[in-house]
Amino acid sequence: MKKVAIIGGGITGLSAALTIENARKEGADVDYIVLEKSLRLGGKIRTERTKEGFVVEGGPDCFVSTKPWVFELCRKLDCEDSLIGSNDALKKTFILVKNKMREMPDGIMIMVPTKIMPFLTTDLFSWPGKIRMAMDWFIPKKKEAGDETLASFVDRRLGREALDRIAEPLVAGIHAGDPETMSLAATFPNLLEMEQKYGSLIKGMLAAMKARQGGAPHGAGAAKPKGPQRTFFMSFKRGMLDLIDEVLSALDKEKIMLEASVDRVVQTKKEDGSTQYRLHLESGSTIDVDAVIITSPSNVAADIIDELDGSLAGALREIPMVSSATVSLAFRRKDVKHDFKGFGFIVPMAEGRKIMACTWSSSKWGGRVPDDEHVLVRAFVGGARNQHLAAVPDDEMLAMVKSELKDLMGIDAEPVDTWIFRWPGGMPQYTMGHLDRVAKIDELVAKHPGLYVAGGSYRGVGVPDCINSGAKAAESAMEHI
Ligand SMILES: Cc1cc2nc3c(=O)[nH]c(=O)nc-3n(C[C@H](O)[C@H](O)[C@H](O)COP(=O)(O)OP(=O)(O)OC[C@H]3O[C@@H](n4cnc5c(N)ncnc54)[C@H](O)[C@@H]3O)c2cc1C
């Protein structure tokens, strides 16, 4: 029976495995094996559930509900009931501007104002800043459609304040990225399309909202989906690791190898002359397969592929990676004066702070703390412009975050527990030229029938995109063999 090797047991690799497992259940004559370097599955999806009852996310804490792939996966696994919506009664985000927390006005979609009154009355922007943003309505679209940096685009359409106060901290929160280098076409292609189609982002957003309100909520005639009410951000009741556990429950555990680090992949010939791939593991053993899906981050994929194709390895290495860390702190509610009425805050670079953002996890989600007597917050450190901070020793990192929370939220209590998760080189950066780089990678990969790369490094960093990417690679691998 022909066999597919999946390198990496993060959500991309497990989604690929599930696609093959489902095909097997429907009679496909194909085998698979997942090789995961570490002792655990999930990759960047990492949830700690403590005996005291804290549920702490180390990596992603949610996914966007605008993309269908997590829902589709949950539907197939019949686990929609393990989903959870955000606690939208407290849906407020704050932005630190000139050292003061200001509420993000209602109606700001991505970074574009769509409601007049909240926009006019907000203290987030100055009057000249507001007038400049409103000019988006009149500024003609760029003549030559094409990519540009996120910073240049936002500055051109909405002005510097929108860039500094919303766009920059927003992309720091999503991509740990720097808008001065990020490709608009690779990160927010919908904004590029809106400008071309409507000549204005505000007009484009209003049209999109109208279309959403006009359409049937879940597709014409479709039944209401199972599971909780959908909010913009969704998660899982017991944390994002539920997603991994659910996928795992549908897989054959015999086909998953932990502590199986793949050093390199080379091409060999079978006795019948057909091509196969030989995986060399760190342990010294080898595995021969008919197709390989590499789901490790692109820079690691480069090392694995180097011997097989130096040019492909070179192209993979061109995708930059940045480091970040998340620091979670649990407090007794009575020890802190803050009301935690909101989802948290983001911090523009211009503020010169040492954290990029802070999520008030116990406000945003139910079930993250043992009881109402406790609160849980999570700070983000590092990112494109402050990578060095993600590497400081634990005690220094904790002291730094505590000092920022004291300054920004007035918290000077001792936490009852803390958790630090580091993601060195964990965030792929979709910088200018990213789409060309990915096209080049596709072209070079295609020279090796049966070889695929998938995951957050290429066409979307979010969990839904990774699920889609893994599933597509598995379908291609099955077609190939
Ligand atoms: C701090 C942080 C917060 C995030 N927040 C969100 C969020 O809120 N929402 C969202 O949608 N996305 C978020 N993301 C992005 C998202 O988590 C990732 O893009 C996604 O989980 C990547 O999944 P993956 O399977 O492609 O890669 P990974 O999770 O990196 O998995 C790759 C796997 O490959 C294994 N591996 C590596 N090398 C080898 C080797 N040589 N041999 C065998 N195995 C190997 C690794 O051990 C790992 O398990 C966040 C990311 C980070 C770092």
Side-chain angles (χ1 to χ4, degrees):
M1 193 189 301
K2 298 220 169 172
K3 192 169 183 170
V4 182
I6 298 160
I7 303 178
I11 187 59
T12 305
L14 294 182
S15 161
L18 185 66
T19 305
I20 301 179
E21 180 69 46
N22 287 341
R24 281 165 60 84
K25 283 178 185 144
E26 283 169 17
D29 191 23
V30 53
D31 199 4
Y32 69 94
I33 181 153
V34 177
L35 298 137
E36 166 53 47
K37 172 172 120 172
S38 72
L39 257 175
R40 52 171 289 280
L41 294 167
K44 294 187 184 87
I45 297 186
R46 179 136 188 221
T47 309
E48 296 271 319
R49 299 168 183 140
T50 73
K51 61 178 180 344
E52 292 81 15
F54 292 104
V55 173
V56 183
E57 301 285 15
D61 72 343
C62 62
F63 61 92
V64 285
S65 59
T66 45
K67 298 192 176 182
W69 301 294
V70 179
F71 297 117
E72 282 176 15
L73 195 140
C74 288
R75 188 162 30 81
K76 281 185 203 144
L77 295 170
D78 194 21
C79 67
E80 290 113 318
D81 287 340
S82 57
L83 289 167
I84 185 176
S86 56
N87 193 3
D88 280 3
L90 296 178
K91 190 178 175 185
K92 274 190 210 167
T93 301
F94 297 87
I95 304 179
L96 188 74
V97 174
K98 300 203 169 125
N99 219 22
K100 193 178 152 210
M101 290 293 174
R102 322 217 180 200
E103 194 182 324
M104 176 95 83
D106 189 25
I108 294 273
M109 309 284 288
I110 312 188
M111 51 201 86
V112 184
T114 60
K115 287 189 184 169
I116 292 177
M117 276 323 279
F119 178 62
L120 291 179
T121 52
T122 180
D123 66 351
L124 176 59
F125 307 110
S126 67
W127 275 106
K130 288 179 193 180
I131 292 167
R132 176 63 186 83
M133 285 173 84
M135 277 167 62
D136 165 75
W137 191 274
F138 309 103
I139 293 174
K141 69 180 178 192
K142 200 169 123 197
K143 284 207 183 64
E144 29 355 306
D147 202 5
E148 65 186 300
T149 67
L150 185 64
S152 128
F153 178 81
V154 178
D155 192 14
R156 184 166 62 72
R157 292 239 50 102
L158 300 163
R160 192 75 212 180
E161 256 185 38
L163 171 63
D164 290 343
R165 298 188 184 178
I166 308 194
E168 183 271 317
L170 197 80
V171 297
I174 304 172
H175 293 267
D178 177 356
E180 300 287 348
T181 59
M182 286 173 77
S183 148
L184 179 72
T187 52
F188 293 97
N190 50 336
L191 296 186
L192 198 61
E193 278 163 29
M194 262 176 201
E195 180 184 36
Q196 287 307 316
K197 187 163 174 198
Y198 298 97
S200 144
L201 299 182
I202 301 175
K203 287 180 195 166
M205 281 294 177
L206 291 174
M209 282 164 63
K210 208 168 157 194
R212 264 202 302 275
Q213 281 155 10
H218 312 293
K224 181 184 174 299
K226 267 175 80 181
Q229 173 81 25
R230 289 191 183 175
T231 50
F232 185 77
F233 293 113
M234 301 283 298
S235 190
F236 287 80
K237 282 182 185 153
R238 298 175 63 248
M240 288 295 286
L241 199 64
D242 268 357
L243 173 62
I244 300 298
D245 294 341
E246 293 289 353
V247 176
L248 202 53
S249 67
L251 296 180
D252 179 347
K253 315 285 177 301
E254 299 286 303
K255 299 190 188 301
I256 297 174
M257 278 175 75
L258 296 179
E259 288 190 284
S261 180
V262 179
D263 278 349
R264 58 201 171 96
V265 172
V266 294
Q267 226 162 354
T268 56
K269 289 266 180 246
K270 275 184 171 174
E271 275 169 14
D272 63 5
S274 62
T275 301
Q276 66 174 9
Y277 292 92
R278 178 160 295 161
L279 278 59
H280 290 264
L281 275 62
E282 196 184 44
S283 61
S285 58
T286 59
I287 299 175
D288 289 340
V289 291
D290 302 281
V292 187
I293 303 171
I294 309 181
T295 74
S296 56
S298 49
N299 54 337
V300 181
D303 294 342
I304 294 174
I305 220 73
D306 213 343
E307 189 176 324
L308 176 65
D309 187 335
S311 311
L312 173 55
L316 288 163
R317 284 196 187 101
E318 277 180 32
I319 299 175
M321 297 287 192
V322 306
S323 302
S324 63
T326 62
V327 182
S328 289
L329 303 94
F331 297 95
R332 263 182 293 269
R333 196 181 282 270
K334 69 176 173 51
D335 294 347
V336 284
K337 285 188 197 76
H338 201 279
D339 64 7
F340 293 96
K341 288 201 170 129
F343 286 179
F345 60 90
I346 53 178
V347 184
M349 267 305 283
E351 295 297 310
R353 288 287 168 178
K354 294 200 162 116
I355 59 175
M356 291 188 274
C358 179
T359 304
W360 300 337
S361 311
S362 48
S363 300
K364 190 170 177 184
W365 309 107
R368 288 339 184 217
V369 284
D371 49 41
D372 277 352
E373 309 298 310
H374 291 89
V375 288
L376 181 68
V377 301
R378 176 166 99 134
F380 292 79
V381 177
R385 292 178 173 183
N386 263 330
Q387 291 203 66
H388 62 286
L389 294 179
V392 302
D394 280 5
D395 50 349
E396 217 176 294
M397 170 105 60
L398 214 49
M400 180 170 90
V401 169
K402 277 158 78 176
S403 152
E404 292 293 60
L405 295 184
K406 185 174 172 190
D407 269 12
L408 302 175
M409 295 177 67
I411 300 178
D412 57 5
E414 266 310 298
V416 293
D417 211 340
T418 59
W419 301 262
I420 298 177
F421 299 90
R422 293 171 192 273
W423 303 106
M427 267 293 192
Q429 299 295 291
Y430 293 4
T431 54
M432 279 298 281
H434 182 78
L435 295 182
D436 293 338
R437 281 192 282 279
V438 172
K440 174 100 196 222
I441 290 168
D442 283 348
E443 194 187 305
L444 292 169
V445 166
K447 291 187 178 162
H448 305 281
L451 177 73
Y452 307 91
V453 293
S457 300
Y458 311 102
R459 290 191 170 81
V461 292
V463 170
D465 296 297
C466 291
I467 291 175
N468 186 37
S469 165
K472 276 189 168 161
E475 276 157 18
S476 303
M478 287 191 289
E479 238 169 69
H480 165 73
I481 59 178

